[in-house]
Amino acid sequence: MIIDLHIHSNHSSDGEYAPEEILQYVKRKNIKYFAIADHNTVSGYCKLKNYNQGISTVMIPASEFSTFFGEHEVHVLAYGIHYEDQALISVFETINKNKLKQAHARVKALRNLGFKINFDDLMEHAVGNVPSGVTFLNTLLKNEDNKTLLSEYIEGEKSYSPYTSFYFDFFAKGGLAHVHVPLIDIGEFFDKMNGRAVFSMAHPILNPGNIMPDLFDFPFDAVEVFSSYHNSEEVRLFRSVADENKCFYTAGSDYHGPNVKPNIFMGVDCSLNPAIMEKLLEAIDRRNLYLYNL
């Protein structure tokens, strides 16, 4: 059985394809269960919630939340959410307000590094979305004066995956233009959302090892063991971590499109791990949460 519980559409601002295009790919790949888990929004999956075409595919409404544990950004995948949930709307409002503060601070940091960029141009390129690393790079590249500083992302060694490389080089912790603007505290997130979703720790390899034990003080139901970020050894490691913390497993590609994340393809073969969907569906049913048969 092929599933994919971590797909990004262009509603993430760093995804390339519209939800309708993703659905067609899901159909071609015969993906039985999938989730459009856009960053801090449900507008992507909402495009498909009334798309009843009898294609024998189940869409699990989801979002990937950017929470902060101290100075560390921790991504939480929430499954079975409802787009009209007032707690969910409150979380999005908090995150989006802080994302705009973060964007202002990032513009200032980039200007201090010698780049030519202004906030109004950035928002124009965001096309109604909160700016992402993709938006920043696209905005910078519109100005010829920036291209010398960004040559390695255009035609150099980082041109193979320019958007991901740019994000980690500039905006991730330790990056040249990193600013500490927590989007939402992980404790506040779980206080508001506990019981309103099934929660999985996204791509845990990106979380510093020293904070991992403390993260399980929060009500995670699952760990994204099967991820495009993980090699076979890391899969074994995070299976063990999940087992120790009485969590089940989830599986997702973290697909954004070939320009944003090259060589990451939609669909995870879970034929040898049928319990992945069994556990998730049981948890969704137990909490009276949501899914859509398409």
Side-chain angles (χ1 to χ4, degrees):
M1 178 173 61
I2 301 175
I3 69 172
D4 199 330
L5 302 175
H6 192 164
I7 300 169
H8 291 279
S9 78
N10 59 3
H11 287 250
S12 272
S13 179
D14 60 353
E16 294 185 49
Y17 295 114
E20 296 84 355
E21 294 175 295
I22 288 171
L23 182 59
Q24 294 308 309
Y25 190 87
V26 163
K27 183 179 178 181
R28 290 197 303 271
K29 290 276 290 186
N30 196 28
I31 296 173
K32 177 62 176 174
Y33 297 93
F34 78 103
I36 293 179
D38 285 325
H39 294 293
N40 308 307
T41 183
V42 292
S43 61
Y45 96 68
C46 282
K47 286 287 187 180
L48 302 180
K49 63 184 176 64
N50 297 317
Y51 197 103
N52 191 345
Q53 297 294 317
I55 61 174
S56 301
T57 295
V58 177
M59 179 178 71
I60 299 170
S63 184
E64 183 178 13
F65 292 88
S66 305
T67 74
F68 274 75
F69 181 73
E71 295 184 354
H72 303 286
E73 188 168 353
V74 176
H75 287 195
V76 180
L77 290 159
Y79 296 107
I81 53 181
H82 193 275
Y83 64 97
E84 292 181 323
D85 187 319
Q86 290 303 305
L88 178 71
I89 292 169
S90 173
V91 168
F92 286 147
E93 288 174 348
T94 298
I95 289 175
N96 288 335
K97 177 183 68 177
N98 289 325
K99 285 285 279 185
L100 290 176
K101 290 181 182 177
Q102 183 188 64
H104 275 289
R106 285 175 170 176
V107 167
K108 183 177 179 180
L110 288 168
R111 289 172 69 90
N112 288 340
L113 292 172
F115 289 101
K116 302 291 179 61
I117 184 172
N118 66 66
F119 187 76
D120 289 341
D121 286 345
L122 178 71
M123 294 307 296
E124 182 180 342
H125 287 107
V127 195
N129 294 314
V130 176
S132 68
V134 170
T135 315
F136 270 92
L137 183 55
N138 285 340
T139 304
L140 288 168
L141 290 175
K142 291 293 183 181
N143 190 315
E144 291 293 327
D145 293 338
N146 294 323
K147 291 187 176 179
T148 300
L149 292 172
L150 296 169
S151 60
E152 62 183 327
Y153 303 95
I154 301 170
E155 55 189 4
E157 61 180 21
K158 296 183 179 179
S159 61
Y160 177 70
S161 182
Y163 296 106
T164 301
S165 298
F166 175 81
Y167 176 84
F168 281 105
D169 288 348
F170 284 87
F171 294 151
K173 188 178 180 184
L176 296 172
H178 172 71
V179 294
H180 183 56
V181 181
L183 304 184
I184 190 168
D185 179 79
I186 192 170
E188 179 185 354
F189 169 79
F190 277 112
D191 284 346
K192 289 183 175 180
M193 289 296 296
N194 197 14
R196 298 172 181 271
V198 178
F199 303 103
S200 181
M201 186 185 298
H203 37 60
I205 193 64
L206 298 186
N207 297 329
N210 63 309
I211 72 169
M212 285 292 285
D214 293 329
L215 291 179
F216 287 102
D217 290 340
F218 300 100
F220 281 102
D221 301 286
V223 175
E224 192 178 46
V225 169
F226 300 95
S227 167
S228 56
Y229 286 91
H230 299 162
N231 60 31
S232 57
E233 181 179 341
E234 289 158 348
V235 166
R236 288 192 294 272
L237 168 64
F238 290 115
R239 287 183 70 156
S240 175
V241 168
D243 292 344
E244 288 173 9
N245 290 280
K246 297 182 172 55
C247 291
F248 58 89
Y249 317 145
T250 60
S253 65
D254 197 16
Y255 181 83
H256 286 70
N259 292 314
V260 178
K261 291 192 174 180
N263 286 341
I264 292 180
F265 304 99
M266 229 181 284
V268 181
D269 188 350
C270 290
S271 302
L272 300 179
N273 295 279
I276 288 177
M277 285 312 308
E278 291 173 13
K279 298 281 189 183
L280 178 58
L281 293 174
E282 285 172 6
I284 287 173
D285 182 64
R286 187 168 61 250
R287 293 179 190 168
N288 295 313
L289 300 175
Y290 301 89
L291 48 77
Y292 298 92
N293 294 297
L294 301 180

